[in-house]
Amino acid sequence: MDPPGLVVHGKAEPFSAALRSLVNNPRYSDVRFVVGQEQQEIFAHRCLLACRCNFFQRLLGTETGPGMPSPVVLSTVPTEAFLAVLEFLYTNSVKLHRHSVLEVLTAAVEYGLEELREVAVTFGLGPLQEHCVAFIEAHSQEALRTRSFLELSAAALLLLLRSDKLCVDEAELVRAARSWARVGAAVLERSVAEVAAPVVKELRLALLAPVELSALEEQNRQEPLIPVRTRGTGPAPLSSGGTGRWEGAGAAQPTSSGRGATTGLSADGPCSAGGADRGGVEVPRPAERG
């Protein structure tokens, strides 16, 4: 058996710089792309793209005729994002800019570049988060009915529930949160109330009408979602005449995020969100979401 040979590693910087010089370089290029709305022509090298990315391997195929083939039109990807993808494919590194990171992320997902996708997500987490939240705020009702909503993490759902711009009734948001918790309970083999615990305090029960709060109380008896403490022999009701109280640090009443308004749950006296309770105590009703 032959002894193992010596592996010699050259310097990475000159190698990377040499490959980077080939990005969008017509020299030795054997494939052209017409990219973006501006239809900019970009030059590349078929063998390098095909060996680095399965998407381009399928797109470009293996047969080449004499001369430069017809350009490949990619009109949906912005030019700057496509050049960033090429730079990553050629050098295994890329310099990202915050103004274009979302476009690079979209291209990385489309082309199946997992490493680039992870980097783009990490680098552009702030802009990406803001973009997603703004989209959901503008399409609240449609977003709540999607499967993707049910698959949100607790942290992502918390971020949404703290928004003041959701264009949806609070009662519908409570129903959506219950559906989300049911899916999580089935997957994690835990109770609905346990899964919902991290996010349920952000539900603004003070925005519910008395009839909606009563319906929630009845449903909560059948399938606990809102945690309450017990006094005496049974669970405290959520609506008028009850002494229900949120569980949590210090058993404090929750407040609506960004508003400071308390909910209709009270441990100190009977009350009902959104109007006078049976004892005649008026509870102010904060402004609706959105």
Side-chain angles (χ1 to χ4, degrees):
M1 183 176 180
D2 294 335
L6 176 66
V7 178
V8 179
H9 295 281
K11 294 183 178 180
E13 290 81 3
F15 177 76
S16 178
L19 287 177
R20 184 173 282 105
S21 70
L22 295 177
V23 176
N24 197 21
N25 189 338
R27 189 177 184 183
Y28 309 124
S29 172
D30 57 357
V31 61
R32 290 177 298 158
F33 295 92
V34 175
V35 177
Q37 297 297 323
E38 63 275 20
Q39 297 185 336
Q40 181 172 335
E41 188 177 47
I42 294 178
F43 298 91
H45 304 80
R46 183 185 300 267
C47 64
L48 196 150
L49 297 186
C51 72
R52 286 279 286 149
C53 178
N54 290 334
F55 172 86
F56 288 109
Q57 186 180 64
R58 294 189 300 267
L59 177 67
L60 301 176
T62 57
E63 298 181 3
T64 57
M68 181 71 74
S70 300
V72 179
V73 179
L74 298 174
S75 59
T76 59
V77 57
T79 302
E80 185 175 356
F82 188 75
L83 287 173
V85 168
L86 289 188
E87 182 181 353
F88 181 79
L89 292 177
Y90 277 66
T91 68
N92 209 37
S93 63
V94 63
K95 183 177 182 179
L96 296 176
H97 302 278
R98 293 204 177 273
H99 68 272
S100 62
V101 66
L102 293 180
E103 288 81 4
V104 175
L105 173 60
T106 302
V109 172
E110 182 178 356
Y111 302 151
L113 301 174
E114 187 64 22
E115 285 184 288
L116 181 57
R117 183 194 67 79
E118 292 177 358
V119 172
V121 167
T122 301
F123 179 74
L125 188 59
L128 176 62
Q129 178 176 288
E130 293 172 3
H131 179 80
C132 292
V133 170
F135 180 85
I136 295 175
E137 288 172 343
H139 305 84
S140 301
Q141 294 188 4
E142 297 89 340
L144 294 184
R145 300 188 184 104
T146 63
R147 179 176 177 178
S148 297
F149 174 82
L150 300 177
E151 296 173 351
L152 287 176
S153 66
L157 184 55
L158 273 172
L159 187 67
L160 291 178
L161 294 179
R162 288 168 180 161
S163 171
D164 294 325
K165 299 180 180 179
L166 294 176
C167 299
V168 63
D169 292 337
E170 200 69 19
E172 185 172 352
L173 199 57
V174 172
R175 288 192 292 270
R178 186 182 292 275
S179 297
W180 172 85
R182 284 171 178 164
V183 171
V187 172
L188 301 175
E189 297 183 347
R190 296 159 60 187
S191 69
V192 169
E194 187 179 2
V195 172
V199 302
V200 75
K201 294 182 181 181
E202 296 299 331
L203 296 174
R204 307 180 187 186
L205 301 186
L207 298 180
L208 297 178
V211 64
E212 293 172 333
L213 197 60
S214 297
L216 175 60
E217 178 179 353
E218 180 61 31
Q219 190 171 16
N220 206 58
R221 290 195 186 99
Q222 302 173 14
E223 182 185 52
L225 177 73
I226 311 296
V228 293
R229 289 191 172 181
T230 59
R231 289 187 180 180
T233 59
L238 302 176
S239 60
S240 305
T243 55
R245 191 169 185 175
W246 289 81
E247 300 211 72
Q253 281 184 252
T255 59
S256 299
S257 302
R259 296 194 183 95
T262 58
T263 71
L265 299 181
S266 172
D268 303 316
C271 66
S272 175
D277 67 12
R278 293 172 189 158
V281 179
E282 185 72 20
V283 179
R285 187 167 186 172
E288 297 289 343
R289 287 185 193 262

